[in-house]
Amino acid sequence: MEKKIKLLYAEDNKSVRENYTEMLSDLGYDVHAVENGVEAIKSFFRGEYDIVLLDMDMPSMGGAEVIEKIRERGVRVPIVVLSEFDQYELSVLGKDGGADDFVSKNWPPQSLLIRLDKRLRDTLKRVEEGERVVFRLSADTTFDKDKRVLIVKGQKQHLKPMLAKVMWMLCTRKNEDITIKELCMWLWGVENEVKASELSSYISDLRKKLKPDESIELLRGFGGTYKLITMEL
């Protein structure tokens, strides 16, 4: 690896922690290892990590709570669970559970490396998408993030700062379900009924602006989600 990948690793078993830390460090990862969930949260919000590797059963704070605290802030860092539990017994691996992948401690070490690499590649793709300035959503619709300009069917519309933020978030994750909680946390750092209502108003405004392009839909999903559906260009 040319640039070292910063990996946060939480594991309460000292020998297991040391073994995996040594293995990952030898492979070029910049590993910061901690012994429980409380230290994991402190370290995560003090630093910048490319990926998180978590044991589930830890004292003070378990892996599930660590995942919840990271996700409730709207952070999209990939999280891989490294556990002795059966993956089918872990609720954190469900659709809304927050974790991205699972590796059993009983599997060969190569399995962990494959999963980490896959999640990092997925994240890199998302980051590259997120750093784009101009998003082409269809043959007739584009959004310029820096200029805050939405062009639909040749009609240029200048968006106010907060509306442009909502549009940018939807564009970076087009064709994905995004929870209301995640959007609110990303926009305001808090999620409540007032902010959810404010977000709904922004979504309604964007729907009106996008309406002339029938190939684009901005839908409200079950379970409190929004999705910007576009043609893949």
Side-chain angles (χ1 to χ4, degrees), residues 125-174:
K125 182 179 179 181
R126 279 205 306 264
V127 169
E128 289 174 343
E129 183 81 358
E131 288 179 348
R132 284 170 51 189
V133 174
V134 179
F135 296 85
R136 188 182 178 205
L137 303 178
S138 76
D140 298 305
T141 299
T142 59
F143 173 60
D144 188 315
K145 169 182 172 285
D146 287 352
K147 295 180 180 178
R148 305 200 311 269
V149 171
L150 177 65
I151 300 176
V152 182
K153 294 280 188 177
Q155 181 72 33
K156 183 182 291 187
Q157 306 172 76
H158 292 271
L159 305 186
K160 292 182 179 180
M162 188 56 74
L163 188 61
K165 266 192 172 184
V166 177
M167 187 65 193
W168 176 60
M169 183 72 162
L170 293 168
C171 287
T172 60
R173 294 177 58 188
K174 59 182 170 42

Side-chain angles (χ1 to χ4, degrees), residues 68-69 71-74 169 178-192 195-196 199 223-226:
E68 182 180 2
K69 288 184 179 298
R71 294 304 189 222
E72 71 183 9
R73 294 288 297 273
M169 183 72 162
I178 313 176
T179 66
I180 291 172
K181 182 175 183 178
E182 190 173 356
L183 282 164
C184 286
M185 292 301 299
W186 185 80
L187 291 165
W188 298 289
V190 65
E191 186 262 341
N192 53 43
K195 291 304 181 186
L199 174 63
T225 63
Y226 288 111

